[in-house]
């Protein structure tokens, strides 16, 4: 028998009323009705999450025919943030007691990042696990959403379970790309399943609104861009003698509502409304305004198309995915641009193109989604269950490009290995990304003067080495415990200096290494002991590879040397990348430069390398650029030019090339290489190396 | 932890006493601390030559391993020290707070 078991803890949270909950209900409904070959669909709920009977009735009503099972699962709470192990046991027990040996079971988790819930993937053979994924908004915009320790802890602690899925079902191609860029999951495991307008029945419940009005379905969230939209509406409305009213849906805190109301008195806040009332608003509205800065799918656009309304929306990737011509698009970060679009609408230039709308709606149907889910399952493979043990030594991902690369390797590494992390850090307040790998597993820690540097028995050490203080303890360990070293820099002199400064090595050891370096390589790059101590070394530079080979011959060492192209996170769907480029060139430079030209008018963006290990800084801001900002910048420029020879540039250049940006002065690798240089390739290389090393 | 517990108890008994007693205790503990000192490889850079490459590598690998092992062995006293310093700071803060309250 074919069975689908669904973790539906999401339905027990406030997300039931939001897009996520509605999307999931529609998905389950269609999976149940269309013939996907599943004879039975079971929905698992948690006993630990307090749920009113009325909610359970609602779920039963919306999903008739779905078997609802309440299991003694524990919720995620602050004092028990990861009850996933005990929950996994409960789920596995349930599956073992109800599933027959020859049953074909798919296990789907509806949401892994929803706070309060604690879904767990069963670790059983022949059970194919899937994760429905809506967006990575908190991770990408972590400065806004994860600024405080508690939400950050709550969010990041979920990444352990996140990486356990075999297949990731994403709601749009844009989310698919984000997932690959920010978590390093290979594109073969990501499948977009789109979606369709939410069915709300054909009831229309009247709301007292003054016509004509423009509808703005939104939420009380910075990303929804309400402020700029209302500012723009006020300017537009004043210029046409206050002809329109703006109807804003969703609940706002009284303080926020007052602030928005102060921007324009012609705004009506409806609060949370029923489906039939929303139907009424769509039907009666003159147009839809959707100014959001980021969206996972953007259901309101599809809904407005159903009602044949003119659509004014942001020019963002996910909407371009729906159509590039059917909507009037504006720059969500510019009030002037929004005003211009509103004027275009008023002058009759924005009309609903019924033919186009129909074609789009034909593509975005739930039946099509069911078909895509079916294909995704057909094309996916299960994780191997026997895992190796790897201990990764790397700079802390939050503050380092190399750490970031090591973090992106996790998704593929964790497919065949149990990974532990030993991070190295230094004092800084700047954060470039969230270190989510520290929450995968329970044996990860930051190396400091008080922490033991240890390797569990039977595990292989993987050292990510850069020429900075953040590699001192890593190299100190590598010299004594042979493993696999990944070298990002061409010289390691600085690390040796730091090792001496930190009293990890005696000063004579430094002097000996220097002499060795001069004898073996006639340079001052401190590579000899690395070659002498390691079992295998991976480099990203051909010259460095040749130099290591020479040293290897001189030492008669057995070290295995490999040269790999610099890895970059894959782009899953190239077709949704923006075609309009804002900048001609992005220049990566060494020192901060005073720019004489107006950045708004300039066709050039400059990123300065503040500190070798840190990453790049936007000279206009006193902040390091985050991964999301970097990708956005790369996507909005035609070419990238590098005037610094820092090793972290290689990582950036590879990522830029992967995103289709022309890299000036680039010899080979990345896009042009025969083998795509993604993290999967690097992980496979490491996997093979571990086997080779073990066999010797 | 078993070793640390009685010392923590002792420290807490000092809370009621003036700060200088705590400092005195810390200094006593400090004098017992065992620090990690990397060993000399016994080679000078002048000794290193192409002909002795194999021997040099062998010798420095022994040094590196010895250093690594003794680094971890010297860890416990360092951890205890770190613990005391944090505790001392905490106690100091609490006392300052209490003094303010009493005024």
């Amino acid at each position: 028998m074919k069975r689908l078991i669904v973790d539906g803890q999401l339905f027990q949270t406030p997300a039931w009323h939001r897009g996520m909950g509605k999307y999931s209900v529609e998905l389950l409904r269609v999976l149940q009705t269309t013939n996907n070959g599943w004879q039975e669909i079971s929905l698992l709920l948690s006993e630990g999450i307090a749920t009113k009977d009325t909610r359970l009735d609602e779920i039963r009503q919306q999903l008739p025919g779905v078997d609802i099972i309440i299991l003694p699962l524990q919720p995620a709470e602050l004092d028990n943030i990861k009850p996933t192990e005990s929950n996994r046991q409960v789920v596995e027990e349930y599956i073992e007691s109800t599933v027959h040996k020859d049953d074909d079971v798919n296990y789907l988790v509806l949401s892994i990042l929803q706070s309060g819930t604690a879904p767990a993937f069963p670790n059983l053979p022949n059970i194919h696990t899937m994760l429905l994924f809506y967006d990575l908004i908190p991770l990408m915009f972590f400065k806004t959403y994860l600024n405080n320790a508690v939400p950050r802890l709550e969010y990041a602690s979920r990444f352990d379970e996140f990486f356990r899925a075999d297949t990731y079902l994403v709601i749009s191609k844009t989310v698919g790309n984000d997932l690959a860029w920010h978590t390093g999951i290979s594109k073969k495991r990501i499948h977009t399943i789109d979606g369709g307008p939410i069915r709300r029945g054909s009831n229309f419940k009247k709301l007292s609104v003054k016509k004509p009005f423009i509808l703005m379905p939104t939420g009380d969230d910075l990303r929804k861009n309400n402020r700029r939209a209302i500012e723009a509406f006020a300017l537009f409305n004043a210029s046409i003698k206050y002809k329109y009213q703006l109807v804003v849906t969703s609940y706002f805190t009284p303080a926020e509502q007052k602030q928005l109301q102060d921007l324009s008195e012609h705004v009506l806040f409806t609060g949370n409304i029923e489906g039939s009332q929303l139907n009424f608003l769509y039907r009666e509205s003159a147009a839809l305004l959707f100014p959001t800065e980021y969206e996972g799918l953007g259901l309101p656009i599809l809904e407005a198309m159903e009602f044949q309304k003119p659509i004014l929306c942001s020019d963002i990737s996910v909407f371009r995915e729906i159509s590039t011509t059917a909507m009037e698009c504006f720059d969500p970060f510019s009030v002037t641009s929004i005003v211009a679009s509103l004027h275009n609408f008023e002058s009759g230039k924005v009309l609903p193109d019924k033919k186009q709308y129909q074609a789009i709606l034909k593509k975005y149907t739930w039946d099509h989604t069911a078909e895509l889910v079916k294909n995704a399952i057909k094309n996916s493979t299960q994780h191997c269950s026997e895992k190796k043990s790897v201990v990764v030594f790397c700079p802390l991902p939050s503050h380092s490009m190399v750490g970031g690369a090591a973090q992106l390797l996790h998704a593929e590494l964790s497919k065949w290995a149990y990974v532990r992390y030993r991070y190295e850090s230094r004092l800084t307040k700047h954060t470039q990304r969230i270190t989510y790998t520290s929450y995968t597993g329970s044996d990860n820690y930051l190396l400091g003067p008080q922490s033991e540097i240890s390797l569990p028995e039977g595990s292989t050490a993987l050292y990510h080495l850069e020429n900075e203080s953040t590699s001192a303890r890593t190299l100190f360990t590598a010299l004594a415990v042979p493993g696999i070293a990944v070298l990002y820099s061409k010289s390691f002199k600085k690390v040796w200096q730091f090792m001496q400064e930190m009293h990890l090595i005696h000063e004579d050891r430094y002097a000996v290494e220097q002499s060795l370096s001069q004898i073996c390589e006639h340079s001052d790059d401190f590579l000899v002991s690395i070659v002498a101590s390691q079992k295998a070394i991976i480099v990203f530079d051909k010259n460095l590879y040749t130099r290591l080979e020479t040293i290897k011959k001189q030492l008669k060492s057995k070290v295995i040397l490999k040269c790999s192209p610099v890895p970059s996170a894959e782009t899953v769907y190239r077709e949704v990348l923006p075609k309009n480029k804002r900048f001609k060139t992005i220049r990566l430079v060494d020192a901060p430069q005073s720019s004489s030209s107006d950045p708004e008018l300039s066709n050039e963006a400059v990123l300065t390398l503040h500190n070798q290990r840190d990453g790049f800084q936007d000279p206009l801001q006193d902040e390091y650029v985050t991964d999301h900002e970097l990708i956005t910048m790369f996507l909005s420029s035609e070419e990238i030019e590098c005037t610094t020879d820092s090793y972290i540039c290689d990582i950036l250049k590879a990522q830029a090339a992967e995103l289709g940006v022309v890299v000036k002065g680039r010899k080979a690798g990345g896009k042009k290489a025969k083998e795509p240089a993604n993290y999967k390739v690097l992980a496979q290389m490491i996997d093979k190396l571990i086997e080779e090393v073990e066999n010797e | 932890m078993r070793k640390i517990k009685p010392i923590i108890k002792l420290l807490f008994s000092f809370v009621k006493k003036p700060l200088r007693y705590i400092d005195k205790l810390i200094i006593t503990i400090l004098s017992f601390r065992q620090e990690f000192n990397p060993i000399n490889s016994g080679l000078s850079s002048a000794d290193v030559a192409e002909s002795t490459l194999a021997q040099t590598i062998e010798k420095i690998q022994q040094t590196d391993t010895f250093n690594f092992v003794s680094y971890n062995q010297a860890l416990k006293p360092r951890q205890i020290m770190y613990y005391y310093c944090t505790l001392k700071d905490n106690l100091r803060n609490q006392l300052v707070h209490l003094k303010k309250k009493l005024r």
Side-chain angles (χ1 to χ4, degrees):
Chain A
M1 189 165 74
K2 282 190 97 178
R3 284 188 62 185
L4 175 66
I5 302 174
V6 183
D7 181 294
Q9 293 180 53
L10 171 79
F11 292 155
Q12 296 174 282
T13 68
W16 167 256
H17 295 291
R18 294 202 299 265
M20 266 203 280
K22 287 170 184 165
Y23 183 99
S24 300
V25 168
E26 292 290 341
L27 178 70
L28 289 187
R29 228 192 254 170
V30 75
L31 289 183
Q32 191 199 344
T33 49
T34 53
N35 184 16
N36 257 316
W38 289 309
Q39 278 107 336
E40 198 180 307
I41 298 184
S42 320
L43 183 74
L44 307 185
L45 297 181
S46 163
E47 204 176 73
I49 305 173
T51 318
K52 282 183 184 162
D53 287 344
T54 46
R55 174 71 60 82
L56 292 177
D57 289 342
E58 264 181 275
I59 299 172
R60 282 195 191 98
Q61 214 177 359
Q62 299 252 21
L63 299 167
V66 168
D67 208 6
I68 293 175
I69 290 130
I70 298 176
L71 292 181
L73 301 172
Q74 288 176 40
E77 286 161 338
L78 257 190
D79 54 350
N80 185 16
I81 201 134
K82 248 165 66 171
T84 40
E85 281 317 314
S86 64
N87 284 358
R88 191 176 339 278
Q89 217 175 342
V90 172
V91 169
E92 284 175 0
E93 271 168 24
Y94 164 76
I95 292 174
E96 276 169 344
S97 66
T98 56
V99 169
H100 298 284
K101 259 191 180 171
D102 34 333
D103 277 359
D104 183 3
V105 181
N106 291 301
Y107 192 88
L108 170 70
V109 170
L110 291 180
S111 167
I112 206 116
L113 301 175
Q114 177 64 36
S115 73
T117 66
F121 286 110
N123 192 9
L124 297 170
N126 300 327
I127 295 203
H128 177 238
T129 53
M130 300 182 283
L131 173 65
L132 179 56
F133 204 75
Y134 307 90
D135 60 66
L136 265 179
I137 291 166
L139 189 77
M140 287 159 59
F141 304 96
F142 65 88
K143 283 181 185 164
T144 311
Y145 293 94
L146 305 176
N147 216 358
N148 294 328
V150 174
R152 192 161 57 234
L153 175 71
E154 271 197 319
Y155 187 80
S157 65
R158 290 164 184 276
F159 274 84
D160 190 7
E161 215 49 34
F162 171 86
F163 285 110
R164 287 174 193 258
D166 297 326
T167 304
Y168 297 81
L169 306 176
V170 291
I171 60 172
S172 65
K173 290 175 176 173
T174 303
V175 174
N177 279 344
D178 289 338
L179 198 62
W181 291 336
H182 295 280
T183 64
I185 289 167
S186 83
K187 62 180 176 189
K188 282 196 175 150
R189 290 164 72 192
I190 299 174
H191 301 269
T192 175
I193 57 166
D194 293 338
I198 304 290
R199 278 169 274 190
R200 279 189 299 265
S202 51
N203 291 339
F204 293 90
K205 197 170 170 189
K206 211 179 159 188
L207 263 171
S208 63
V209 279
K210 210 174 81 190
K211 278 175 83 175
F213 68 89
I214 294 171
L215 177 63
M216 187 166 110
T218 180
D220 189 2
D221 190 337
L222 267 180
R223 147 183 84 87
K224 295 281 185 183
N225 204 15
N226 299 316
R227 195 161 291 256
R228 282 197 204 97
I230 294 177
E231 252 175 65
F233 171 77
L235 287 170
F236 156 75
N237 212 24
S239 68
I240 53 159
K241 293 179 187 162
Y242 305 104
K243 180 175 165 189
Y244 290 99
Q245 193 175 29
L246 184 71
V247 177
V248 176
T249 64
S250 190
Y251 170 78
F252 284 84
T253 59
E256 179 66 17
Q257 186 168 327
K258 194 186 170 294
Q259 282 189 4
L260 292 174
Q261 192 88 63
D262 287 346
L263 295 171
S264 167
E265 51 184 291
H266 300 272
V267 179
L268 176 77
F269 291 88
T270 63
N272 283 338
I273 50 172
E274 291 170 27
S276 53
Q277 288 172 316
L278 193 58
N279 276 350
F280 171 81
L281 288 178
Y282 270 117
R283 192 183 67 187
E284 301 299 322
S285 66
L288 176 91
L289 179 65
F290 203 37
T292 175
E293 287 171 20
Y294 184 92
E295 215 56 41
L297 177 58
L299 289 174
I301 301 265
L302 299 176
E303 287 166 345
M305 283 182 180
E306 273 196 320
F307 286 92
Q308 311 280 352
K309 296 292 169 189
I311 299 164
L312 315 170
C313 65
S314 315
D315 184 15
I316 55 174
S317 170
V318 70
F319 297 158
R320 281 194 295 268
E321 196 179 319
I322 296 173
S323 169
T324 48
T325 49
M327 297 94 72
E328 163 80 14
C329 292
F330 50 76
D331 174 7
F333 301 98
S334 154
V335 173
T336 344
S337 175
I338 305 175
V339 174
S341 280
L342 284 164
H343 277 294
N344 281 349
F345 152 70
E346 175 58 15
S347 57
K349 285 181 198 155
V350 187
L351 292 169
D353 182 343
K354 288 180 184 169
K355 256 192 186 168
Q356 271 206 69
Y357 279 12
Q358 261 174 1
I360 292 164
L361 288 171
K362 229 178 184 177
K363 193 186 144 206
Y364 285 92
T365 62
W366 289 103
D367 286 333
H368 182 56
T369 296
E371 196 60 34
L372 290 172
V373 173
K374 201 171 154 184
N375 288 340
I377 294 170
K378 221 193 281 169
N379 297 327
S380 53
T381 46
Q382 217 188 327
H383 279 185
C384 59
S385 46
E386 282 246 338
K387 286 190 172 184
K388 297 179 176 106
S389 171
V390 175
V391 181
V392 177
F393 288 79
C394 64
L396 191 71
S398 305
H399 311 313
S400 147
M401 281 279 169
V402 170
Q407 176 153 281
L408 284 175
L409 187 64
H410 180 86
E412 292 306 317
L413 213 58
S414 63
K415 267 176 81 179
W416 49 263
Y418 182 74
V419 196
R420 294 173 172 88
Y421 286 91
R422 308 286 182 259
Y423 303 108
E424 268 199 83
S425 183
R426 76 216 128 76
L427 290 171
T428 174
K429 63 183 174 122
H430 296 293
T431 311
Q432 290 165 275
R433 60 187 70 77
I434 294 288
T435 301
Y436 50 73
T437 41
S438 60
Y439 299 94
T440 58
S442 52
D443 183 23
N444 305 319
Y445 54 86
L446 198 64
L447 293 178
Q450 288 81 39
S451 50
E452 191 183 353
I453 310 179
S454 70
L455 250 74
E457 237 173 84
S459 47
T460 310
L462 179 67
Y463 305 105
H464 291 272
L465 286 164
E466 62 175 343
N467 192 20
E468 283 302 333
S469 66
T470 43
S471 277
R473 287 192 173 84
T474 303
L475 185 57
F476 175 66
T477 314
L479 294 176
V481 188
I484 299 170
V486 187
L487 308 188
Y488 291 82
S489 315
K490 293 168 190 109
S491 162
F492 288 88
K493 190 177 180 178
K494 255 197 210 172
V495 191
W496 282 88
Q497 281 167 349
F498 278 116
M499 282 205 292
Q500 197 194 329
E501 272 171 35
M502 290 157 81
H503 294 289
L504 292 169
I505 54 167
H506 197 272
E507 54 192 45
D508 86 314
R509 179 69 184 85
Y510 181 86
V512 167
E513 189 64 27
Q514 195 165 25
S515 328
L516 276 173
S517 202
Q518 268 147 13
I519 290 169
C520 292
E521 44 177 315
H522 308 291
S523 70
D524 225 4
D525 289 339
F526 289 72
L527 293 163
V528 181
S529 286
I530 299 178
V531 178
S533 61
Q534 293 311 291
K535 289 178 183 168
I537 299 175
I538 298 173
V539 294
F540 303 116
D541 182 87
K542 278 213 173 125
N543 293 335
L544 180 59
Y545 179 81
T546 337
R547 282 169 57 203
L548 292 182
E549 263 201 330
T550 327
I551 300 171
K552 181 187 165 180
K553 268 182 206 158
Q554 274 174 295
L555 299 181
K556 295 182 188 111
S557 151
K558 280 182 182 168
V559 65
I560 306 166
L561 297 177
K562 292 272 176 200
C563 188
S564 151
V566 184
S568 58
E570 285 174 293
T571 306
V572 191
Y573 304 103
R574 288 195 181 280
E575 60 272 30
V576 296
L577 300 184
K579 298 207 168 51
N580 297 334
K581 304 284 188 179
R582 189 178 172 310
F583 305 113
K584 172 119 184 37
T585 317
I586 287 189
R587 284 198 299 127
L588 306 174
V589 298
D590 262 321
Q593 290 180 342
S594 56
S595 175
S596 53
S597 57
D598 183 354
E600 282 287 318
L601 302 170
S602 165
N603 64 352
E604 190 178 86
V606 179
L607 290 176
T608 57
L609 186 65
H610 194 70
N611 187 322
Q612 283 275 355
R613 65 201 162 191
D614 287 339
F616 280 89
Q617 195 176 12
D618 185 344
L620 301 172
Q621 294 170 4
D622 182 33
E623 285 278 343
Y624 287 85
V625 282
T626 66
D627 284 353
H628 173 63
E629 286 162 353
L630 257 181
I631 288 172
T632 315
M633 276 188 117
F634 285 159
L635 287 176
S636 59
S637 86
E638 284 169 26
E639 55 179 33
I640 174 171
E641 193 189 324
C642 209
T643 57
T644 159
D645 61 350
S646 161
Y647 54 93
I648 64 171
C649 272
D650 295 339
I651 303 175
L652 291 180
K653 283 197 282 190
Q655 188 62 62
E658 161 64 27
L659 295 170
V661 182
V662 178
V663 177
K664 269 195 176 174
R666 197 154 190 280
K667 284 172 217 152
K671 215 178 145 198
K672 286 174 198 159
K674 277 181 195 165
E675 277 281 299
N678 52 45
Y679 285 94
K680 192 178 178 181
V681 174
L682 184 58
Q684 279 170 345
M685 187 183 270
I686 294 166
D687 188 12
K688 269 188 204 157
L689 280 177
I690 293 178
E691 269 162 31
E692 274 181 55
V693 161
E694 273 174 5
N695 288 339
E696 275 202 6
Chain B
M1 202 58 196
R2 235 183 298 145
K3 280 183 190 168
I4 308 172
K5 254 188 182 168
I7 310 175
I8 297 173
K9 268 191 184 169
L10 189 71
L11 257 181
F12 272 111
S13 68
F14 274 86
V15 173
K16 287 174 195 160
K17 299 197 169 115
L19 265 176
R20 59 194 151 92
Y21 283 95
I22 301 169
D23 282 342
K24 211 171 187 180
L25 183 74
I26 296 289
I27 290 159
T28 324
I29 297 159
L30 272 170
S31 62
F32 283 113
R33 74 182 177 170
Q34 182 193 340
E35 258 216 273
F36 164 66
N37 288 313
I39 56 155
N40 192 311
S41 66
L43 290 163
S44 79
S45 47
D47 296 340
V48 186
E50 193 133 19
S51 54
T52 59
L53 212 55
Q55 289 161 327
T56 314
I57 294 288
E58 200 181 316
K59 192 141 197 197
I60 59 169
Q61 274 180 341
Q62 281 170 5
T63 315
D64 290 341
T65 313
F66 186 85
N67 275 344
F68 179 73
V69 173
S70 42
Y71 175 88
N72 275 333
Q73 275 171 354
L75 191 72
K76 236 175 209 144
R78 281 207 309 279
Q79 279 174 333
I80 295 170
M81 267 314 301
Y82 175 74
Y83 200 77
Y84 281 139
C85 292
T86 339
L87 198 67
K88 186 186 131 188
D89 284 347
N90 282 347
L91 287 176
R92 194 189 292 276
N93 287 345
Q94 275 179 24
L95 284 173
V96 170
H97 188 70
L98 266 177
K99 271 184 189 168
K100 268 186 193 167
K101 253 191 167 177
L102 285 172
R103 269 181 217 153

